[in-house]
Amino acid sequence: MPRIDRYILTQFLTLFGFFALVLVSVYWINRAVSLFEQLISDGQTALVVLEFTALTLPLVISVVLPIAAFAASAYGTNRLSSESELVAMQSAGMSPWRLARPVLVFGVMVGLMVALLVHSIVPLARARLTDRQAEIAQNVTAQFLRAGSFQYPARGVTLYISEIAPDGRMIYFFLEDARNPREQATYTAAEALLVRTEAGPRLVMMQGMVQSLRRTGEKQNLSVTRFSELTYDLGTLIDPSAARKRDLRAYSTARLLDPDAALLAETGASADKARAEAHERLAKPFQAPVAAMLGFAMLLLGGFSRFGVWRQVLWAVGALIVVQFLATAAENQVAADASRWPLIYVSPLVGAAICVAVLWLAARPRRLRGGASGGAPA
C-alpha cells in the first residue's frame, strides 16, 4: 500500500477508535441503566447485572460501528481539507476515485469487524443471554416470593408472605387462586418451603388449611381442609402464554439460512422469518463501507469556502439518514411479511449508488466562472 494511503488510513482508524469508544459507551450505559433497574427490582445481584450488560455489549458494538465509521470519515476528511492536505493531494493529480481507495479499505475493515460480530460473537452472546434469562425466569423466589407485600404472579392469583427466614422458610404464607370464578381456593400455612425438582418448582406448605369455594348456579359451597403438609405446583402460577421462545438471534447464520424443524419448534418462527434474520446479518456489514464512503465523498463536493464545509457535512448527514430510513423501512416490511427479505439489500445498494454518483460529480472538471476567455491580450 502506498504511503499516502497508509497515512489516510491511519488517520481514519485513529478517529474511528475514538468515536467508537464514545458511542459504545453512551449506548451501553443507556442500555445498562435499564437492565440495572429491571434486574435489581427482581432481586438479582450486581454480578448478574454486570453479566447481562456484558452480554449485550456485542450487539451494541455491531450497531455503533457503522455510525463511528461515518463520523471518522467525515471528521477526517474535514480535517484533511482544513489543513490543505486534501488540496495538495488533488493538486498532485490524485482524483477523487484515487483518494477514495484508502477510505474504501477503511470501510471494508470496519465491515469485517461488524461481520465477525453479527455472525459469531453476537449469536454466542444472545444464546448465553437467553439461557441466563431462562434460569432467572425459573427462579420463582426472585420473581414474586418477597416478604411484606402482596404479589400477583398471574391474573387472579394473590400471594403474601409475612417473613422469609434466613434458612429460606416462608413464615405465615397466604395464597389465593381465583383464576376460575367457579372454584376459588385459599391456602394459608404457618410455614412454607420452596423445593426445586426436575419437573419445576414445588411449594411445600406445612401446618395450614385450604378453603375451597365452589359456585354452582346461585349456590355456594365452602369446604375447609386442614393439613400438616401439602405440596403445590408453582408452575401452574406461570401464564403459559408468557413462556419465552428461544431467540432467533441465538442461532448461527448457517442454521438460519436452512432452518430445520427443531429450530422452528424452539423459536416458534417460520422458515421465512429465520431466513430473513440470516439475510439481515449478511447485509449489515455492508453498512460500514457505505457509511464511510458517504462521509468522505460528500465532503469532496463544492470548492473552497472560508466558511468551511458545513454544507457538505449536512449533505452527508442527510444521505446517511436516507440510507438508514430505507433500512428501517425494509425491516418493517420484512417484519410484516418475512418473504420480503430481499428488501434488506436495498439500503446498502442505494447507499453505494449514492457514493458512486457523488464521486463521479466530484471528479468532473469544474467550469471556470464567467466562461472561457477568448484569448490572451496582445
Side-chain angles (χ1 to χ4, degrees):
M1 180 181 291
R3 183 177 299 177
I4 188 65
D5 289 358
R6 291 199 301 269
Y7 173 75
I8 296 176
L9 185 59
T10 301
Q11 294 290 320
F12 281 16
L13 286 175
T14 303
L15 293 170
F16 169 75
F18 170 75
F19 284 112
L21 179 61
V22 172
L23 293 174
V24 168
S25 300
V26 172
Y27 274 75
W28 190 39
I29 291 175
N30 186 31
R31 188 71 175 267
V33 168
S34 61
L35 281 175
F36 179 82
E37 294 177 354
Q38 178 183 354
L39 294 173
I40 291 298
S41 63
D42 288 340
Q44 303 303 318
T45 62
L47 291 177
V48 175
V49 176
L50 181 62
E51 179 185 5
F52 271 60
T53 53
L55 290 174
T56 61
L57 187 57
L59 181 61
V60 172
I61 295 177
S62 67
V63 173
V64 165
L65 289 188
I67 303 176
F70 171 80
S73 64
Y75 186 85
T77 306
N78 182 29
R79 191 166 70 177
L80 290 174
S81 177
S82 62
E83 295 178 358
S84 301
E85 292 178 314
L86 193 60
V87 176
M89 296 176 192
Q90 292 174 326
S91 300
M94 298 183 68
S95 67
W97 299 101
R98 175 63 181 82
L99 291 172
R101 187 169 69 181
V103 183
L104 181 61
V105 173
F106 163 68
V108 170
M109 292 175 63
V110 179
L112 291 176
M113 298 179 194
V114 176
L116 177 63
L117 286 168
V118 299
H119 292 296
S120 178
I121 301 178
V122 171
L124 292 176
R126 294 297 306 184
R128 175 59 181 170
L129 184 62
T130 301
D131 293 339
R132 292 292 288 125
Q133 286 175 338
E135 293 175 7
I136 291 179
Q138 293 177 358
N139 188 355
V140 183
T141 303
Q143 286 188 1
F144 54 81
L145 297 185
R146 304 174 190 169
S149 62
F150 285 92
Q151 306 295 322
Y152 306 94
R155 186 172 183 179
V157 177
T158 304
L159 185 147
Y160 180 82
I161 303 168
S162 177
E163 181 183 355
I164 298 180
D167 57 1
R169 291 180 298 112
M170 291 170 277
I171 312 300
Y172 299 119
F173 182 86
F174 170 85
L175 173 64
E176 182 184 61
D177 188 352
R179 287 175 292 180
N180 188 351
R182 296 185 178 182
E183 294 185 9
Q184 180 177 342
T186 303
Y187 301 83
T188 56
E191 294 182 0
L193 289 173
L194 181 65
V195 180
R196 301 186 183 279
T197 64
E198 295 181 357
R202 297 291 187 271
L203 186 67
V204 179
M205 294 177 282
M206 295 166 285
Q207 304 301 324
M209 68 177 180
V210 183
Q211 303 179 51
S212 301
L213 178 62
R214 292 182 176 86
R215 296 182 176 89
T216 305
E218 297 181 355
K219 296 182 179 180
Q220 297 184 3
N221 297 322
L222 177 64
S223 61
V224 179
T225 304
R226 298 186 181 274
F227 59 84
S228 58
E229 185 175 307
L230 178 67
T231 302
Y232 186 87
D233 184 7
L234 281 178
T236 60
L237 299 183
I238 301 175
D239 188 1
S241 61
R244 293 185 178 181
K245 294 288 186 178
R246 194 170 179 83
D247 195 345
L248 275 175
R249 292 175 293 181
Y251 293 90
S252 64
T253 306
R255 288 196 65 185
L256 293 176
L257 286 173
D258 187 17
D260 51 20
L263 184 148
L264 299 180
E266 291 175 358
T267 59
S270 62
D272 287 337
K273 185 71 174 178
R275 294 189 187 96
E277 173 64 25
H279 286 285
E280 184 177 350
R281 294 183 188 178
L282 293 173
K284 196 164 189 177
F286 294 105
Q287 296 177 357
V290 168
M293 291 299 297
L294 283 176
F296 169 78
M298 285 293 182
L299 268 68
L300 296 182
L301 293 177
F304 175 78
S305 174
R306 293 176 300 171
F307 301 102
V309 291
W310 61 267
R311 185 179 301 173
Q312 289 89 331
V313 171
L314 292 179
W315 292 346
V317 173
L320 183 63
I321 291 175
V322 170
V323 172
Q324 291 297 324
F325 173 79
L326 291 176
T328 303
E331 292 176 1
N332 294 334
Q333 291 293 324
V334 174
D337 185 359
S339 62
R340 301 173 181 172
W341 59 262
L343 293 176
I344 296 175
Y345 295 97
V346 171
S347 173
L349 289 176
V350 171
I354 294 175
C355 294
V356 172
V358 172
L359 287 175
W360 178 78
L361 289 174
R364 292 179 62 189
R366 298 183 179 89
R367 296 179 180 180
L368 296 176
R369 296 183 179 180
S373 60

